[in-house]
Amino acid sequence: MNKELERMAKFFDRRAAFYEEHMRRSVAGFEDFYRTVAAPIERTAEPIEILDLGCGTGLELESLFKRSPNARITAVDLSRGMLAKLSEKYADKAKQIALIQDSFLEFPIGQGRWNYIVSVMAMHHLTPEEKLLLYRSIHIGLRPGGLYIEGDYVVAEEEEKELLREYWKLRRANPEVANGAYHLDIPLSTKTQIRLLSNAGFAGVGITWSSDKAAVFTARKARGE
């Protein structure tokens, strides 16, 4: 195993204290990006159910609560350090936030429970095959008409191919890196993302914000399902 590789939880535990500062520097259009993640959520005072997969320190939660101040948010992340920061930041919303330390690949999403499922800057550690399985679970987990929102890094198609070639070479030598167990970045192209979400069964898939390095995707479950 490459000595520079770190287990996912350990990687983010070590960086929890300065994670938000890093994201502000690395995400072009930071404010617009996070505002756009929340924008598809209808303004409501109802206690809607939102699942946040790979929540980190909760950078997206401020915008989510502006749209839906009484939302009940289940926030899932592997990193104890990240969840501790989130808990500290949103102490006034503690009764509305359920913190779960777990892999979002292992968390039981369930069936027809959630009004919205969101994931921000978390899915780019998974292969297309791993994503497709998770997207199918997300589709099942949403209520009819529910919406999945994902904001994440993206790359051009040629770079995607190269990153996947490098990843599979590493994984053949180290099978334990599967399923996002170690911190490896393998962002995909917008074309691949749209294909995967469509293949997972979503009726409407679109892009609501994009730059050359990141995009926000929305995918809706049909109301009749």
Side-chain angles (χ1 to χ4, degrees):
M1 173 70 72
N2 187 326
K3 292 182 179 180
E4 295 181 1
L5 289 178
E6 290 184 76
R7 298 283 304 186
M8 191 71 75
K10 181 179 179 181
F11 179 94
F12 284 106
D13 280 344
R14 291 179 56 184
R15 291 158 176 82
F18 53 88
Y19 174 77
E20 294 192 7
E21 179 184 348
H22 165 73
M23 294 304 291
R24 288 182 181 276
R25 291 196 313 267
S26 62
V27 179
F30 177 89
E31 299 291 345
D32 285 342
F33 173 81
Y34 279 93
R35 187 163 45 246
T36 304
V37 166
I41 294 176
E42 295 183 14
R43 292 188 181 276
T44 180
E46 294 298 315
I48 61 172
E49 295 281 352
I50 300 176
L51 174 62
D52 189 343
L53 299 174
C55 61
T57 61
L59 278 168
E60 59 275 12
L61 296 196
E62 181 178 354
S63 295
L64 296 181
F65 279 127
K66 284 181 179 178
R67 305 288 297 183
S68 180
N70 297 313
R72 294 192 292 256
I73 298 179
T74 299
V76 181
D77 202 279
L78 269 176
S79 168
R80 185 183 300 275
M82 291 287 195
L83 292 174
K85 292 290 288 186
L86 188 157
S87 179
E88 178 183 340
K89 283 172 56 184
Y90 295 98
D92 61 327
K93 293 284 191 180
K95 292 183 179 180
Q96 292 173 240
I97 303 174
L99 300 179
I100 308 291
Q101 186 185 1
D102 198 359
S103 163
F104 50 65
L105 293 173
E106 302 296 330
F107 177 77
I109 294 175
Q111 182 172 356
R113 174 179 175 183
W114 311 96
N115 298 98
Y116 298 92
I117 299 177
V118 302
S119 183
V120 184
M121 296 304 189
M123 296 290 176
H124 61 276
H125 305 298
L126 302 178
T127 66
E129 296 79 9
E130 291 162 352
K131 279 187 174 182
L132 180 58
L133 290 175
L134 179 56
Y135 290 159
R136 286 172 175 162
S137 294
I138 289 170
H139 180 265
I140 292 169
L142 286 165
R143 297 178 182 179
L147 190 69
Y148 173 58
I149 307 167
E150 179 178 326
D152 209 347
Y153 296 113
V154 294
V155 294
E157 291 179 50
E158 284 304 313
E159 185 174 354
E160 172 191 284
K161 292 176 183 177
E162 181 58 30
L163 287 170
L164 287 171
R165 278 196 293 267
E166 292 176 1
Y167 171 83
W168 283 107
K169 180 179 178 181
L170 177 65
R171 181 161 159 178
R172 283 192 291 271
N174 305 279
E176 64 269 34
V177 305
N179 296 314
Y182 284 78
H183 184 267
L184 291 164
D185 290 341
I186 41 175
L188 304 177
S189 65
T190 56
K191 180 178 179 180
T192 298
Q193 281 292 123
I194 290 172
R195 174 176 57 80
L196 291 172
L197 290 165
S198 298
N199 288 348
F202 289 98
V205 179
I207 299 175
T208 59
W209 184 96
S210 65
S211 70
D212 61 338
K213 294 184 178 179
V216 177
F217 302 87
T218 57
R220 189 172 295 280
K221 183 173 182 176
R223 295 188 182 278
E225 292 189 57

